Amino acid sequence: MPLSIVAGRFAPIATAAMLALVLAGCASNMSLVTQRTQGYEIPDTALQQIRPGQSQELVTLVLGSPQTTNTFGDQTAFYYVETKVQETSFGMNMIKSRTVLAIYFDKNKKVIDKAVYSLADGKAVTVETRRTQSFGEDRTFVEQILQSF
């Protein structure tokens, strides 16, 4: 039997064996989906430590610096955001849960209230895609540079 016939007969088997080895190597130590947390991890024990009357300094000591703050009138709010994300090996991200811890302070920087919000409390906002017309020409960055010469 000629060698080309033997090689042609075993080529699909060799290809399948090679593919199986490659896939086994990839799957041995990697998962196709990984779980991770973006932002803060808000432990229940820390959440239980925050009570009305406590100072801003104590809140910062227990939870760390807030991700964002807001001031309205003589009151202040600290916001801590925790987002649980599933990420595939192909780079696709899916948000599984989001928790926002809001801590409200009075004018004396003492805790007056706290609230925990989830994805269910949020609202979808549509982004406006229309552009405001401007006077003159609409040029790209490169066109602006070339026109300056």
Side-chain angles (χ1 to χ4, degrees):
M1 202 183 303
L3 186 57
S4 62
I5 294 174
V6 173
R9 199 179 280 172
F10 291 111
I13 296 171
T15 304
M18 198 61 124
L19 183 61
L21 283 173
V22 169
L23 290 176
C26 289
S28 65
N29 61 357
M30 293 180 120
S31 173
L32 292 177
V33 178
T34 56
Q35 306 264 349
R36 64 185 175 90
T37 301
Q38 292 179 339
Y40 288 87
E41 288 197 27
I42 306 171
D44 288 334
T45 55
L47 189 59
Q48 293 170 359
Q49 292 179 26
I50 307 302
R51 291 185 280 281
Q54 293 179 330
S55 67
Q56 258 184 4
E57 293 82 24
L58 184 61
V59 171
T60 304
L61 185 67
V62 171
L63 293 172
S65 298
Q67 190 166 5
T68 187
T69 61
N70 191 10
T71 304
F72 39 93
D74 58 356
Q75 295 183 349
T76 307
F78 281 7
Y79 299 98
Y80 298 88
V81 181
E82 172 187 79
T83 305
K84 302 252 184 214
V85 176
Q86 272 189 341
E87 186 173 19
T88 66
S89 297
F90 309 108
M92 191 166 118
N93 290 328
M94 295 168 283
I95 296 175
K96 288 301 178 185
S97 69
R98 178 170 291 141
T99 304
V100 177
L101 170 61
I103 302 174
Y104 302 103
F105 300 94
D106 63 9
K107 63 182 177 183
N108 298 323
K109 298 186 179 188
K110 301 288 182 185
V111 175
I112 54 174
D113 197 11
K114 67 181 176 186
V116 179
Y117 303 104
S118 68
L119 273 175
D121 299 316
K123 294 180 182 173
V125 177
T126 56
V127 177
E128 184 60 52
T129 57
R130 294 182 298 159
R131 293 178 54 187
T132 304
Q133 293 182 0
S134 63
F135 295 105
E137 296 178 38
D138 208 12
R139 295 182 301 239
T140 65
F141 177 71
V142 174
E143 289 172 338
Q144 290 175 11
I145 289 177
L146 291 176
Q147 192 172 22
S148 67
F149 291 113

